[in-house]
Amino acid sequence: TIHGEEHILYAQTIQKIGDIFLGMSDYHEAMESYNWALDVMYTEPSHHRVEIGEILDNKGTIHYSKGEIEEALQCHQEALRSKQVDLGEDHPEVAATYHHIGNCLSDQGNVDDAIVHFEEAIRLKELDPEGGPERDADVLTIEGILHNLEGNQEQGLECYEKSLQILVT
């Protein structure tokens, strides 16, 4: 049997296998891999909070893709709590989790809370000193979502077009 640090390395490898299955849209195998990796990482959660958060975000993505919005929201909220313990509340790496939560809340019709989460995602992304063009495109995309939620479709479309221009160049 595998114990200690070797056990964690094994779990990290299983997590990466889950990432491959997720990329292939094999949600069942991805979920199985993530659940196994989480079981191991939860034995020492204080050392693996960011990894746990990443796995939970991926599980949330699977639930979201399957239309299981409440389950997705729960995973992303748990991911946010886990990541914030190690990274803090103002770390750019939690921006994507806020974005995911905003999507779930929006799909549930909870527009006001969705807007708060999208705005926080933008704020955190803008804190990233190494963001570059990809970050700028992400911010514009989220701004487009916000405009659409607020009923400003023309402004939303402009943001999406600007985002595409950045990504093409």
Side-chain angles (χ1 to χ4, degrees), residues 122-142:
I122 290 170
R123 185 185 77 78
L124 293 172
K125 280 191 175 287
E126 290 177 338
L127 293 176
D128 186 357
E130 300 173 20
E134 187 175 299
R135 181 221 36 219
D136 296 341
D138 283 347
V139 167
L140 283 165
T141 298
I142 300 170

Side-chain angles (χ1 to χ4, degrees), residues 24-66:
M24 295 168 43
S25 298
D26 187 339
Y27 299 139
H28 175 77
E29 291 297 327
M31 192 67 82
E32 291 291 316
S33 298
Y34 292 143
N35 286 336
W36 191 92
L38 280 175
D39 285 345
V40 173
M41 289 183 186
Y42 278 141
T43 62
E44 297 180 45
S46 62
H47 299 297
H48 304 285
R49 291 196 194 284
V50 174
E51 290 168 309
I52 289 169
E54 290 170 7
I55 293 170
L56 290 167
D57 265 338
N58 288 343
K59 285 181 64 167
T61 298
I62 291 169
H63 286 299
Y64 190 85
S65 297
K66 294 167 61 177

Side-chain angles (χ1 to χ4, degrees), residues 3-168:
H3 297 285
E5 191 60 33
E6 289 178 1
H7 199 56
I8 295 299
L9 292 173
Y10 190 65
Q12 291 167 334
T13 302
I14 296 298
Q15 174 188 354
K16 292 183 185 333
I17 290 170
D19 293 345
I20 292 170
F21 282 125
L22 178 59
M24 295 168 43
S25 298
D26 187 339
Y27 299 139
H28 175 77
E29 291 297 327
M31 192 67 82
E32 291 291 316
S33 298
Y34 292 143
N35 286 336
W36 191 92
L38 280 175
D39 285 345
V40 173
M41 289 183 186
Y42 278 141
T43 62
E44 297 180 45
S46 62
H47 299 297
H48 304 285
R49 291 196 194 284
V50 174
E51 290 168 309
I52 289 169
E54 290 170 7
I55 293 170
L56 290 167
D57 265 338
N58 288 343
K59 285 181 64 167
T61 298
I62 291 169
H63 286 299
Y64 190 85
S65 297
K66 294 167 61 177
E68 301 165 353
I69 306 305
E70 184 60 35
E71 293 86 348
L73 179 59
Q74 290 173 7
C75 285
H76 293 308
Q77 289 172 329
E78 191 176 341
L80 181 63
R81 287 188 295 272
S82 185
K83 289 178 178 182
Q84 284 179 328
V85 170
D86 279 352
L87 299 174
E89 293 186 13
D90 288 332
H91 198 283
E93 280 190 41
V94 299
T97 306
Y98 274 102
H99 187 167
H100 295 312
I101 293 171
N103 286 336
C104 293
L105 292 168
S106 175
D107 284 3
Q108 290 180 330
N110 192 346
V111 174
D112 292 339
D113 284 344
I115 288 171
V116 168
H117 283 80
F118 288 131
E119 288 174 343
E120 183 66 2
I122 290 170
R123 185 185 77 78
L124 293 172
K125 280 191 175 287
E126 290 177 338
L127 293 176
D128 186 357
E130 300 173 20
E134 187 175 299
R135 181 221 36 219
D136 296 341
D138 283 347
V139 167
L140 283 165
T141 298
I142 300 170
E143 287 176 351
I145 293 169
L146 282 171
H147 286 302
N148 286 333
L149 286 175
E150 296 167 344
N152 303 320
Q153 281 73 28
E154 283 186 31
Q155 288 177 302
L157 183 59
E158 287 176 25
C159 288
Y160 295 143
E161 289 171 346
K162 289 177 184 176
S163 176
L164 280 174
Q165 288 174 349
I166 291 171
L167 293 172
V168 167

